[in-house]
Amino acid sequence: MGNKTAKIKAFEPATVFIGTILAVLSAIVCMQILGKVGVSANTSILGAIFAMLVSRIPTASMKGFRNLERQNYIQTISSGAGFAASNCGLTAVAILFVLGETKAILPMALGCLFGTAASIFVVGKLYDSSIFPAEESWAPGIATAEVLEAGDEGGSKAKRIIEGIVVGAVGSHFKIPVAAIGITFITSIASITALGIALIIRGYCGQVTGFDLGGTYIPQGFMIGAGAIALIQSIISIVKSSRKNHEETEKNHNYTVTDEQARKTILMSFGIHVVGAVLVGVLTGVLTDMSVGKIILWIIWTAFASVASMMLVGMAAMYSGWFPAFAITTIFLTLGILMGFPPVAVAVLTGYISSVGPCFADMGYDLKTGWIIRGKGEDREHEVYGRKQQVYIEIYGAVIGIIIVMLFANVTLGQGLIPASSTTFATTCQAVANPELIKTLLIFAIPGAIVQLVGGKHMIGVLFATGLVINSPIYGIGVLVTVAARLIFKKKIDEFMNCRDAGLIAGDGLYSFFASLIKMFV
């Protein structure tokens, strides 16, 4: 496996060569899958499998990839490219395509490139701080690390991973929410329970009561209240601490990012996204259709929403393993409508915001994988160095992903391969603000705020709101059944599922990927 303490550069020629090939393939395939099938692939798990396969090529030049850190770099670049191309780039430009604004597709892609790269850079600066601790769940990151380690060590760990992969693939075939089950074994019980309960409420509300919750703005109102409180809680947690408390925190937790550094990064990220908003606004031409006052408001709102989206998506991903980018972007879109921005300006705002949240979550997962592989922060200098290398290589992967979108977006969208989320965003952008909408949002923001306030740092309010937005009751059932099993059987079932939970996530991801790939050609 090599020397764990050796500082390995991400941009070694062999890593860049193999990584670039895998990044291009990952971007193309993930973009096609999202467009045709409507779901995104688990790029972290796929990247890990790619990295393991590369390390097994029986040539002298590939021998170096037996090192887990190099495998993590390969996994990071392919994951970043696939995520950026599908969840960030294609999702954003497809909104404008649906609205008929095809001339703005390339400028929108350039704006996404800036927003995505900025998001990856910011999470790298905030990771392992008091608000984004490395030791928190980041469940998919744990699963990816366990897959890589199992491939390296073999033995009982590999056996359990393989058992989990087989069960995960079979379960996925029969529409059993195996990924939800796997994630629930790894992540915070409180956070994932809130998500599961809300998913069931949303899924069965209509059948039980005849009331179509999804046809209202109640979930959006709930998210506005919960999101606002979550942001306030985050700000208070890093501003409130005195120097004495800060030193005590560092002593007890050994964070590599101090509260002061985190504060500066958040402020800096707002400035970065002000630049991003001006850039995408000028490139797409939407600023010319508004008054000076509206232009200033649009720029400030786009920057604020981008920072808030990153924070909320990142915290939800950290605690639950689920990143509610669609739900959170919908909230800022809705508020943009209420501010009176023109539909195309709202669409550009939405596209830019949708490009910053997902990659924040993906980078967080990949950094968790690297943190585990590098020894869980025991060697502080090595951890910081490796993390920077991962950030650099993921930005490189994201650039490749967005370039692929620029090259193939018109062809892909012209074939009708439009993500369902983009169609929903485009339709919502054309909605007209009315008193009833505002009333609903304000009323249901109150219970959302209360739940988040009571739930504290585990993002219970935000995750509950996410469940209300998404119509996937089977996922909720899988989550709650697993939570019940963990509470009843406690350590015994956790020990039994050790590594098998990661296998379930991997099996579901691999089956979904190849099943989607087959659907593309059938």
Side-chain angles (χ1 to χ4, degrees):
M1 188 172 75
N3 183 4
K4 280 188 176 182
T5 60
K7 291 183 178 179
I8 300 172
K9 293 182 179 179
F11 286 93
E12 292 176 340
T15 302
V16 172
F17 178 71
I18 297 296
T20 301
I21 293 172
L22 291 177
V24 170
L25 292 174
S26 178
I28 292 172
V29 172
C30 289
M31 194 168 77
Q32 290 285 315
I33 287 175
L34 182 65
K36 188 165 187 177
V37 186
V39 297
S40 56
N42 187 328
T43 53
S44 293
I45 291 291
L46 289 172
I49 300 298
F50 288 154
M52 289 166 62
L53 291 174
V54 166
S55 72
R56 295 300 184 267
I57 297 174
T59 62
S61 60
M62 294 296 106
K63 188 177 180 180
F65 288 106
R66 293 294 178 94
N67 180 286
L68 283 184
E69 197 152 6
R70 287 193 180 92
Q71 290 184 29
N72 185 37
Y73 292 156
I74 292 290
Q75 172 260 314
T76 298
I77 187 174
S78 57
S79 174
F83 233 79
S86 56
N87 295 68
C88 300
L90 185 65
T91 298
V93 301
I95 300 170
L96 294 172
F97 182 86
V98 174
L99 291 175
E101 300 291 333
T102 54
K103 290 182 179 178
I105 286 179
L106 181 59
M108 185 74 248
L110 289 170
C112 286
L113 178 57
F114 183 92
T116 300
S119 175
I120 295 169
F121 172 75
V122 170
V123 70
K125 299 282 283 184
L126 289 175
Y127 192 80
D128 199 29
S129 64
S130 61
I131 50 174
F132 290 108
E135 51 193 30
E136 275 297 348
S137 296
W138 302 101
I142 295 175
T144 303
E146 289 184 352
V147 168
L148 288 174
E149 288 179 336
D152 181 66
E153 297 172 16
S156 61
K157 180 178 280 191
K159 182 181 176 182
R160 291 196 299 271
I161 287 284
I162 292 170
E163 288 171 354
I165 288 174
V166 172
V167 173
V170 173
S172 184
H173 176 75
F174 289 104
K175 309 300 181 186
I176 299 171
V178 282
I181 294 170
I183 286 174
T184 305
F185 274 108
I186 297 173
T187 195
S188 159
I189 287 182
S191 304
I192 203 73
T193 299
L195 176 65
I197 291 171
L199 285 167
I200 289 177
I201 291 173
R202 166 64 194 273
Y204 295 112
C205 181
Q207 297 177 29
V208 175
T209 67
F211 178 70
D212 181 16
L213 185 63
T216 71
Y217 280 90
I218 291 174
Q220 286 88 335
F222 204 101
M223 178 65 86
I224 288 171
I229 295 299
L231 287 173
I232 292 170
Q233 288 171 329
S234 300
I235 294 168
I236 289 174
S237 72
I238 60 174
V239 172
K240 184 180 177 182
S241 60
S242 65
R243 182 165 181 80
K244 180 180 177 181
N245 288 335
H246 157 68
E247 289 174 350
E248 188 67 24
T249 296
E250 278 205 305
K251 180 180 177 182
N252 292 338
H253 296 277
N254 197 33
Y255 294 130
T256 53
V257 177
T258 66
D259 286 338
E260 180 63 24
Q261 289 171 328
R263 281 195 292 268
K264 288 180 179 178
T265 296
I266 292 170
L267 289 172
M268 177 187 66
S269 68
F270 179 78
I272 290 172
H273 286 302
V274 165
V275 174
V278 172
L279 177 69
V280 74
V282 170
L283 289 174
T284 57
V286 297
L287 299 184
T288 59
D289 297 327
M290 295 185 283
S291 65
V292 174
K294 275 284 172 65
I295 289 172
I296 294 172
L297 179 61
W298 186 89
I299 290 170
I300 292 173
W301 179 245
T302 301
F304 170 79
S306 298
V307 175
S309 176
M310 287 193 303
M311 299 286 288
L312 292 173
V313 170
M315 285 186 283
M318 175 174 65
Y319 287 117
S320 74
W322 177 292
F323 64 96
F326 174 80
I328 289 172
T329 300
T330 301
I331 304 313
F332 293 115
L333 183 166
T334 304
L335 293 174
I337 293 171
L338 296 180
M339 291 178 183
F341 299 129
V344 178
V346 175
V348 171
L349 178 154
T350 304
Y352 185 81
I353 295 171
S354 69
S355 72
V356 302
C359 270
F360 192 99
D362 183 58
M363 183 79 263
Y365 298 150
D366 293 339
L367 289 176
K368 177 70 173 187
T369 300
W371 180 78
I372 293 171
I373 286 171
R374 288 186 290 270
K376 299 183 178 179
E378 289 184 9
D379 185 335
R380 189 184 183 97
E381 184 183 352
H382 183 214
E383 166 56 24
V384 172
Y385 179 84
R387 187 188 309 158
K388 285 182 179 179
Q389 296 302 304
Q390 274 191 268
V391 170
Y392 298 153
I393 202 74
E394 176 129 345
I395 290 176
Y396 177 64
V399 170
I400 291 173
I402 300 297
I403 289 174
I404 293 297
V405 171
M406 292 178 186
L407 293 174
F408 297 107
N410 281 317
V411 174
T412 302
L413 298 172
Q415 293 173 343
L417 304 183
I418 302 170
S421 58
S422 300
T423 302
T424 303
F425 285 146
T427 303
T428 309
C429 287
Q430 295 173 306
V432 178
N434 59 71
E436 194 61 33
L437 167 60
I438 298 171
K439 180 181 175 183
T440 301
L441 294 176
L442 290 176
I443 289 174
F444 288 95
I446 297 171
I450 293 171
V451 172
Q452 178 61 30
L453 197 60
V454 172
K457 71 169 190 174
H458 291 288
M459 298 294 285
I460 287 175
V462 170
L463 288 165
F464 190 87
T466 298
L468 295 180
V469 173
I470 299 167
N471 188 18
S472 183
I474 189 67
Y475 194 107
I477 292 172
V479 164
L480 294 186
V481 168
T482 308
V483 167
R486 286 189 68 186
L487 293 175
I488 294 169
F489 300 105
K490 299 182 180 178
K491 286 186 178 181
K492 287 184 179 180
I493 195 166
D494 284 343
E495 288 173 2
F496 176 78
M497 289 303 295
N498 182 31
C499 288
R500 292 186 177 97
D501 44 23
L504 290 179
I505 299 168
D508 178 83
L510 290 170
Y511 179 85
S512 299
F513 174 76
F514 287 109
S516 300
L517 204 59
I518 291 169
K519 285 182 184 179
M520 283 169 51
F521 299 104
V522 175

